[in-house]
Amino acid sequence: MTQGRCLCGALRYEIDGPFIDVVHCHCSMCRKHHGTPFATWAAAPLSGFRWLGDTTTLRTYQSSAKGHRDFCSVCGSVAPMLEEAAGMVIAPAGNLEGDLGMRPTKHMFVGSKAAWYAITDGLPQFEEYPPEFGMSSTPREPVAVPAGVTAGSCLCGDVAYEIAGPPLRMYYCHCSRCRQGRSAAHCANVFYKAEDFRWLRGADQVQDYALPGAQFFGTAFCKRCGSKVPRVSVERNMVNVPAGSLDSDPGITPNGHIYVDSKAPWFDITGELPQFAAMPPRR
Ligand SMILES: [Zn+2]
Ligand SMILES: [Zn+2]
Ligand SMILES: [Zn+2]
């Protein structure tokens, strides 16, 4: 039995029975919806899925003729997709608690992965869907950004932003808040000065969620599609940009993996980036 929950706890669920597969997806929709370089999906038979409590905060964004993206309207966490026709639930592994009894088996949609993100593990990679899925798709056209401009947008396009200054730092954070908030193995946050940041459109479409009891932690997301978008702190002159929302290169190499002591048990950190048990020492 695996329990799952969104960051704010309004959506809770459990999945009974072994998972069928766990897959990393690099498609542009996953990147924008989660705000991360990739999403990790755990599939299980729908018969074993149960909501615990009500689902009044559940919202659905119709991302294509057949596709939908579900999320919590309070905190923005990605919600499980109940696929009646396929008889499957496809849950964001970042919101599942404990071990999954299974490790990720592959990367899909590496043909549309973020150019700045390097896959460093040895798992099989597929340009689009793996053949056993029996599915095809038309990758979305990337959002065009002029050279030299740092810009991003949400999945539905209602929210867009631009950054005029250089990045300050970038981390892959593995803490449980980031995993639940981004519904992913870890977040990929780039920090810029708030004074360099401006919304191009949709500022009034951004929903902010401040985690109760946390000093700074919170999320910001598009009310319509649930995509993670930058969270601006004017007081700290800081903006936290979910790298998956960027339509251009963040212009920085990640400073490392942080809070690796609280990483997801099903995720192996690979590659050469420095790893820190919690916060890195101040430079
Ligand atoms: Zn929530
Ligand atoms: Zn995807
Ligand atoms: Zn949107």
Side-chain angles (χ1 to χ4, degrees), residues 24 26 31 36-38 107 110 112-123 125 170 172 174 186 188 243 249-250 252-254 257 267-273:
H24 297 308
H26 297 258
R31 289 191 278 116
T36 54
F38 62 91
H107 294 269
V110 298
S112 14
K113 90 170 176 60
W116 51 265
Y117 182 75
I119 298 173
T120 52
D121 65 27
L123 295 177
Q125 300 182 17
M170 177 177 189
Y172 294 151
H174 296 257
H186 58 76
D249 194 289
I252 187 173
T253 304
H257 294 269
F267 186 75
D268 293 320
I269 301 173
T270 56
E272 300 301 316
L273 291 177

Side-chain angles (χ1 to χ4, degrees), residues 161-179:
Y161 60 90
E162 201 172 86
I163 303 156
L168 305 172
R169 52 189 175 275
M170 177 177 189
Y171 292 117
Y172 294 151
C173 181
H174 296 257
C175 83
S176 61
R177 292 165 169 181
C178 280
R179 290 189 279 117

Side-chain angles (χ1 to χ4, degrees), residues 11-32:
L11 295 177
R12 292 175 181 271
Y13 42 94
E14 62 185 18
I15 299 170
D16 197 2
F19 289 97
I20 301 164
D21 204 355
V22 179
V23 179
H24 297 308
C25 183
H26 297 258
C27 82
S28 64
M29 292 208 236
C30 281
R31 289 191 278 116
K32 283 197 180 291

Side-chain angles (χ1 to χ4, degrees), residues 229-246:
V229 298
R231 190 161 191 256
V232 186
S233 169
V234 174
E235 313 80 64
R236 299 163 70 207
N237 190 18
M238 186 79 78
V239 55
N240 177 350
V241 175
S245 75
L246 286 165

Side-chain angles (χ1 to χ4, degrees), residues 44-47 49 51 68 81-90:
L46 186 55
S47 54
F49 178 85
W51 290 109
H68 59 99
M81 296 189 280
L82 312 183
E83 301 298 337
E84 307 277 348
M88 276 202 290
V89 58
I90 302 169

